[in-house]
Every structure is written in structure tokens, then in C-alpha cells.
């Protein structure tokens, strides 16, 4: 199916592009969008003329921290499947210790004092701005081993009115607590299932691997696969910028993971030696989602190759397997810090796709339908 118009709409202002997008998503630029997000804990009508083109299985829910939401009632806007809303500086100190810091890099320290994601007022403001920008729900991909605080996220969802889906689990070898090495796979499975229930996780993620997958990371992937089979919870992964994507798929497949509830992540900042076109297509053909989840950054130049990747993926007929998000992590990306904010995948990256002729129905599928299909699961007792 063609996803592009002939000719391009270049010359649009950002506001033109955003207006067209939000209209295509079924709400106006301001005001109504906040209502869509804020009202989504209750039943909100589906926008006229924009009924979801997705049928959900009977009993399927999207599990936010505050409620199990019927997928068709989760507002009308974009759902961002991989962002971060709660971190602390210890985590960044660890990340920074991994590689020498470049001057001007977002990872340049110092990593002391309070992280901006520990400031409830600041983050409330960011989420309310995201609602105005057309976002209906946000998935947080952080864990205790990244300084993520579930209670903070619960308060934040309450105060901002933004539904937050908690992704749970462990990040990667760098941050595993020492006991992970000592735990058996089945002990890990039991722990994951228990925490998922007690903390109301709505997904496992981000579940990561390093440049070279370690034995503990393999064990973690297998345990998460088994916990998914027990609970039905969807999974989204972290790859080292595309590395070992197929390896992750193989491990999850061996555990019987339902690929229609699996995203292989960070496939847009691609450093794997295998050609990205082939890897993206192979993931989609096996039925999993390809996460273009570091888009909408502060440097438009960095997004240009990512636009080409998404266009190639759509040209290959894989629009039902594409997901967008921004991996929001740094103060400079926040609205208060002068950046695009939590919604930047929608407000900064999507206009670049529109300029290249990607049509409204395709954008609607990628931003609205696909994340709901990925997240909506029929809970099992575990
Ligand atoms: Zn990640």
C-alpha cells in the first residue's frame, strides 16, 4: 500500500504540520487533547470518523498504574511506548562510567544532586504539555536499577492526569544488583511475576542487552519470556543500538513469547554491522514490532537518517509493525529545559515524516493503533 502522496508538502510550518496531525488523530491542537488524556481513565468517546481500525480480544486491557483501561477508551491521541519519567543521577553516573564522556554529550556530568525527573512539579508540567501536544498515554521504561520510583510515577499520573503504563524488570548487566548473578532462572521468573502484580506493571521493559550479551542477560531474557507467558504482559527490549536484535528474537521465540506483544527497541540509532533494512524487515516478518524509539531529538540532523529508515520500513509494507517513541531522558529535552518535551516524537519527528508525504491514516496507525495493539493484553493469573 502506498503511504506517500506524490510531491511533498515541504514549506509547511511546524504548527501547520502539527495541526494537521492532531486533526488526523481526532482532536484539536489544544484543550481538547488535554481532555482526551485526562478523561481517559473514564470512558471517552472515540473521535467521530476516527474509530479505531483495531479489534481487541475480549477482556483485553491496557494496564496503567492507576487502572486497567479498555483500549478503545484510552483517549484518542498518540501512545508513546518507550519514554522515561523517573530517574536518579546514580544511574547516569553508572552510564557515564561506561565510556569516556565527550564534551557537550548529554552524558557529560556532573551526576550529583537531584535529577530533574525527581521533581514532581517539573514532571507534572512536562506531562500536561505532552497532553496538549496530542499524547494520550506514556509508557515508562525504567526500573529500580535505573533509579525509577514507582510511587513517584503513581503521584505523577494522579497529578498530571496522564495515564502512565509502568514497564518493569531489569535494564542490563551494568545495573543488575549482584544478587541477579546468584538467582536461578526460575527464582527470577517468580520475582518478576510477583513484582508485576504488586506494582501494577503494564509491560516488561526496557529489557536490555549489552554490546556483547552476557550470560546473566541471556538468563534475564529467558526469565522475562517465561514471565510473559505466565502473565500475558507485553515486552519491549533495549538493544545496544540494533546489536543482537535477531538474537533477542531467538531467545524470546524459544520461550514461546507472542511476537504480537513484543517490540525490539532502539532500532533507529543503528550501529549493528548487519544492514538495517534487512534486520528491520526480518523482525517485522517474524511478527514483532520494530521500535524507532529514539526519534525527535534536539538535533534535526540526527533524525534525518531515522526518517529514511522509517520510510524504507513503510515502503516495505510494514506499517502495522512500526512504533515511534523518543526515549525521553535528558533535561535539555524537557520543555522547561528548552527542548521538545515528552511528546517530541509527535511534535518534532512526525512533521518530518509528513513533509516526506506520509499520509494521515498511516500516521494514525503508527501513533494510535499500533501501540494500543502492542499494549492491550488479556491478563492471566500468573
Ligand atoms: Zn534503552
Amino acid at each position: 500500500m502506498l503511504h506517500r502522496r506524490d510531491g511533498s508538502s515541504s514549506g509547511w510550518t511546524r504548527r501547520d504540520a502539527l495541526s494537521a496531525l492532531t486533526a488526523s488523530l481526532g482532536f484539536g491542537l489544544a484543550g481538547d487533547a488535554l481532555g482526551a488524556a485526562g478523561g481517559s481513565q473514564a470512558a471517552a468517546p472515540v473521535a467521530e470518523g476516527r474509530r479505531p481500525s483495531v479489534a481487541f480480544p475480549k477482556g483485553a486491557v491496557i494496564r496503567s498504574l492507576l487502572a486497567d483501561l479498555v483500549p478503545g477508551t484510552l483517549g484518542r491521541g498518540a501512545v508513546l511506548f518507550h519514554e522515561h519519567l523517573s530517574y536518579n543521577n546514580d544511574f547516569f553516573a553508572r552510564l557515564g562510567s561506561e565510556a569516556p564522556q565527550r564534551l557537550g554529550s548529554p552524558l557529560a556530568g556532573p551526576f550529583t544532586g537531584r535529577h530533574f525527573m525527581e521533581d514532581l512539579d517539573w514532571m507534572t508540567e512536562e506531562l500536561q504539555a505532552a497532553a496538549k501536544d496530542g499524547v494520550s498515554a506514556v509508557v515508562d521504561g525504567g526500573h529500580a536499577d535505573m533509579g525509577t520510583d514507582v510511587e513517584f510515577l503513581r503521584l505523577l499520573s494522579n497529578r498530571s492526569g496522564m495515564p502512565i503504563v509502568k514497564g518493569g524488570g531489569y535494564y542490563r548487566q551494568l545495573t543488575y544488583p549482584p544478587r541477579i548473578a546468584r538467582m536461578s532462572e526460575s527464582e527470577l521468573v517468580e520475582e518478576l511475576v510477583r513484582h508485576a502484580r504488586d506494582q501494577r506493571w503494564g509491560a516488561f521493559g526496557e529489557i536490555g542487552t549489552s554490546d556483547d550479551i552476557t550470560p546473566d542477560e541471556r538468563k534475564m531474557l529467558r526469565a522475562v519470556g517465561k514471565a510473559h507467558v505466565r502473565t500475558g504482559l507485553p515486552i519491549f527490549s533495549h538493544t545496544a543500538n540494533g546489536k543482537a536484535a535477531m538474537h533477542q528474537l531467538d531467545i524470546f521465540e524459544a520461550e514461546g513469547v507472542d511476537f504480537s506483544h513484543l517490540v525490539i527497541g532502539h532500532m533507529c540509532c543503528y550501529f549493528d554491522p548487519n544492514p538495517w533494512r534487512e534486520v528491520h524487515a526480518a523482525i517485522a516478518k517474524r511478527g514483532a514490532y520494530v521500535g524507532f524509539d529514539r526519534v525527535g531529538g534536539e538535533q534535526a540532523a540526527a533524525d534525518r537518517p531515522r526518517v529514511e529508515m522509517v520510510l524504507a520500513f513503510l515502503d516495505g509494507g510494514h506499517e502495522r509493525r512500526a512504533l515511534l517513541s523518543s526515549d525521553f531522558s535528558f533535561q535539555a529535552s524537557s520543555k522547561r529545559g528548552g527542548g521538545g518535551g515528552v511528546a517530541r516524537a509527535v511534535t518534532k519527528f512526525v512533521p518530518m515524516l509528513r513533509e516526506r508525504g506520509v499520509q494521515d491514516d498511516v500516521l494514525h496507525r503508527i501513533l494510535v493503533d499500533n501501540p494500543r495493539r502492542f499494549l492491550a493484553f488479556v491478563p492471566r493469573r500468573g
Side-chain angles (χ1 to χ4, degrees):
M1 197 198 307
L2 285 178
H3 63 84
R4 288 189 244 175
R5 297 189 192 96
D6 291 334
S8 92
S9 49
S10 60
W12 280 22
T13 65
R14 179 185 162 279
R15 187 175 173 89
D16 288 337
L18 187 54
S19 296
L21 169 72
T22 50
S24 85
L25 295 180
F27 46 73
L29 188 56
D32 191 30
L34 185 59
S40 61
Q41 303 287 352
V46 175
E48 216 177 320
R50 265 302 164 193
R51 297 198 163 275
S53 44
V54 189
F56 296 99
K58 192 171 183 305
V61 298
I62 293 176
R63 177 157 293 163
S64 83
L65 276 170
L66 301 185
D68 279 353
L69 304 164
V70 177
T73 65
L74 184 62
R76 307 159 193 162
V79 172
L80 301 173
F81 86 95
H82 186 154
E83 306 294 344
H84 293 277
L85 304 170
S86 168
Y87 272 140
N88 65 18
N89 265 324
D90 291 350
F91 172 59
F92 284 94
R94 273 200 191 184
L95 279 184
S97 71
E98 227 179 1
Q101 292 161 28
R102 284 170 290 122
L103 204 64
S105 138
L107 269 183
F111 307 107
T112 53
R114 193 157 80 146
H115 192 272
F116 81 101
M117 287 193 191
E118 295 175 286
D119 184 330
L120 191 59
D121 289 340
W122 188 331
M123 291 306 293
T124 299
E125 198 178 291
E126 296 293 330
L127 283 185
Q128 289 177 338
K132 285 183 186 154
D133 283 336
V135 172
S136 280
V138 180
V139 181
D140 178 280
H143 319 302
D145 67 350
M146 301 159 86
T148 301
D149 179 344
V150 182
E151 251 341 283
F152 177 88
L153 291 173
R154 227 183 287 280
L155 281 172
L156 179 59
S157 184
N158 244 323
R159 278 193 44 180
S160 65
M162 177 68 78
I164 296 174
V165 174
K166 178 78 194 74
Y170 292 90
Y171 178 47
R172 58 188 173 89
Q173 189 76 49
L174 174 78
T175 60
Y176 289 166
R179 64 190 168 77
I180 296 295
R182 298 191 297 269
M183 288 173 80
S184 70
E185 193 177 307
S186 58
E187 284 170 333
L188 256 179
V189 176
E190 293 306 322
E191 191 204 82
L192 288 165
V193 169
R194 192 173 66 250
H195 286 177
R197 183 186 58 228
D198 294 348
Q199 298 177 20
R200 286 194 59 79
W201 294 352
F204 295 111
E206 59 180 306
I207 305 297
T209 52
S210 306
D211 273 359
D212 297 308
I213 303 187
T214 70
D216 281 348
E217 287 171 346
R218 281 174 211 279
K219 179 170 73 177
M220 185 64 70
L221 259 57
R222 291 194 303 267
V224 167
K226 286 185 170 75
H228 152 91
V229 170
R230 289 259 300 266
T231 59
L233 284 166
I235 303 170
F236 57 101
S237 81
H238 157 111
T239 60
N241 291 314
K243 285 181 191 156
M246 303 313 285
H247 207 114
Q248 290 190 352
L249 271 184
D250 291 342
I251 293 174
F252 285 134
E253 186 170 53
E255 297 300 335
V257 167
D258 174 356
F259 280 5
S260 67
H261 294 289
L262 173 67
V263 186
I264 302 298
H266 303 335
M267 297 307 292
C268 54
C269 310
Y270 196 86
F271 297 122
D272 189 79
N274 295 301
W276 53 263
R277 277 173 209 276
E278 289 165 27
V279 175
H280 290 171
I283 294 169
K285 281 186 187 135
R286 287 172 72 173
Y289 289 91
V290 172
F292 299 97
D293 50 15
R294 283 177 168 169
V295 300
E298 288 7 283
Q299 311 294 332
D303 266 343
R304 278 190 201 107
R306 296 166 195 161
V307 169
E308 300 308 321
M309 284 182 175
V310 174
L311 292 175
F313 194 63
L314 297 177
D315 279 339
H318 303 304
E319 68 180 54
R320 287 172 59 85
R321 287 290 172 249
L323 282 171
L324 298 181
S325 212
S326 86
D327 205 4
F328 181 77
S329 292
F330 299 107
Q331 187 169 320
S333 306
S334 71
K335 291 245 179 181
R336 202 193 273 190
V342 177
R344 62 204 182 129
V346 175
T347 57
K348 298 185 78 170
F349 190 73
V350 166
M352 296 173 83
L353 294 177
R354 290 190 63 86
E355 281 183 11
R356 297 291 297 275
V358 179
Q359 293 179 4
D360 291 347
D361 58 336
V362 175
L363 293 172
H364 189 272
R365 190 183 288 278
I366 295 171
L367 294 167
V368 178
D369 294 344
N370 288 354
R372 285 164 174 76
R373 286 193 302 136
F374 159 64
L375 286 171
F377 73 105
V378 180
R380 297 179 202 135
R381 288 175 64 86

